[in-house]
Amino acid sequence: MNTDRKALWAVRQSALPTVVRSCPDCPGTRHRASGKIRVNASGKMLDVWLLLSCATCDRTSKVPVHERARVSTLEPARLVAYETNDPSAVRELVTSASLAAKNRYRLDWTGTWVLETRVPLYALDDPSPLPVRVRFELPAPVRVERLLQLGLGLSRAEVRRLVADGRIRLPFAPDAKAHRDFDLTIHGPGSVDAAKHAKPLAVPDAEHTGPARIGLPPAPGREFPHRAAAARG
C-alpha cells in the first residue's frame, strides 16, 4: 500500500477573460485587453486607465483604474509596471473582479483555462487515500464538479455518485464554484466508511494525470497517466 502519494492539479491560464460591456460605437459587447495601460500625470496627481479593444469594431475604450490619485500613494514598482505596460500588471487588471464590479462590467471566463493534472502512477484498487491539491494560476470561477470530471475522466453522474458515497471528499459542494487553491481527497475501495466519518478538510479562504474511472471495478494494472485537460467553459 502506498501512503505517500500526492497529486497536484493546476488550473493554468490559456487566455485572458473577455470584458462584457456595451461599445459606444457599435452593437458589440465583447472587449479584449489591448495589452496597454495609459498613465496621465499632472503634477503630483495621476490617472491610470486599462485600455480595451472592442472585438467587433476595434474601438479603444478606457477602464478607470486610478482617478486623480496622488503619485505618492502608488508604489514606485507598480507605477513603473503601469508605465511600461508590464504583462503581469495588465493581467492583474483584466482579471480583477473588484475592478469589474467598480466599473459595472462582467468578465467572461469561457476558454481561459486548462486543467493540468500531475498524478503519480498507482493502481486504482489501492485502498490508501490520494490527497489532491488544486492550484489556480488565475482567478477563474470554475465549478468543482467540472474539475473532477476533467481530472478523473468521469461523467458528472459518476462524480456526484462518488461524492455522495464518500469516495471523494470536498471542502464544499460539487456544484460550487472555486477560484482559489483548495484540497480534496480521493478514497480507494473499502475506505468509504472511513471517509464518511473523517473530519472535514481545512480550506484556506475558499469561496465559494489522465482519465480514471474511480467508481468502477478497475482493470488489472490500470493506472493514472499524466494528462492536461482543456476547459470548455
Side-chain angles (χ1 to χ4, degrees):
M1 180 187 299
N2 181 7
T3 59
D4 298 324
R5 62 183 185 178
K6 295 180 180 179
L8 171 64
W9 294 1
V11 178
R12 302 289 190 194
Q13 177 183 317
S14 60
L16 291 175
T18 299
V19 172
V20 182
R21 70 175 193 176
S22 298
C23 176
D25 284 1
C26 78
T29 59
R30 303 180 69 79
H31 298 74
R32 56 180 178 269
S34 69
K36 296 182 179 180
I37 302 171
R38 180 172 296 173
V39 179
N40 182 30
S42 177
K44 295 182 179 180
M45 309 298 289
L46 58 77
D47 295 295
V48 179
W49 299 280
L50 171 68
L51 301 187
L52 303 176
S53 178
C54 176
T56 302
C57 69
D58 210 33
R59 180 190 190 275
T60 298
S61 59
K62 300 185 296 184
V63 173
V65 179
H66 298 285
E67 296 180 285
R68 304 303 296 163
R70 291 187 175 276
V71 176
S72 59
T73 62
L74 292 180
E75 297 179 358
R78 178 169 290 275
L79 182 55
V80 170
Y82 288 160
E83 293 174 335
T84 59
N85 299 313
D86 183 87
S88 61
V90 173
R91 175 183 176 276
E92 177 186 347
L93 295 178
V94 175
T95 61
S96 171
S98 61
L99 189 63
K102 177 183 175 181
N103 290 279
R104 299 181 180 180
Y105 59 77
R106 180 173 64 85
L107 294 176
D108 183 354
W109 295 91
T110 304
T112 62
W113 59 275
V114 295
L115 180 66
E116 179 184 277
T117 59
R118 297 175 183 174
V119 181
L121 297 178
Y122 69 99
L124 291 179
D125 58 356
D126 189 334
S128 59
L130 174 67
V132 179
R133 163 55 60 98
V134 182
R135 290 181 178 171
F136 284 73
E137 186 177 86
L138 76 168
V142 182
R143 200 171 298 279
V144 176
E145 65 183 4
R146 179 60 178 156
L147 289 176
L148 291 170
Q149 286 179 255
L150 292 172
L152 302 176
L154 300 174
S155 68
R156 177 184 295 182
E158 289 172 317
V159 166
R160 290 184 175 183
R161 177 165 58 85
L162 292 179
V163 172
D165 289 346
R167 292 283 301 278
I168 298 177
R169 288 181 54 215
L170 299 167
F172 29 66
D175 60 350
K177 288 186 177 181
H179 65 262
R180 297 177 182 173
D181 297 359
F182 69 94
D183 297 312
L184 63 94
T185 304
I186 302 170
H187 289 267
S191 60
V192 174
D193 291 338
K196 287 183 177 179
H197 294 91
K199 295 181 179 180
L201 291 169
V203 180
D205 196 20
E207 216 182 71
H208 324 59
T209 358
R213 305 181 69 80
I214 299 289
L216 301 179
R222 188 176 179 184
E223 299 175 327
F224 276 108
H226 174 273
R227 180 191 184 192
R232 295 191 294 273

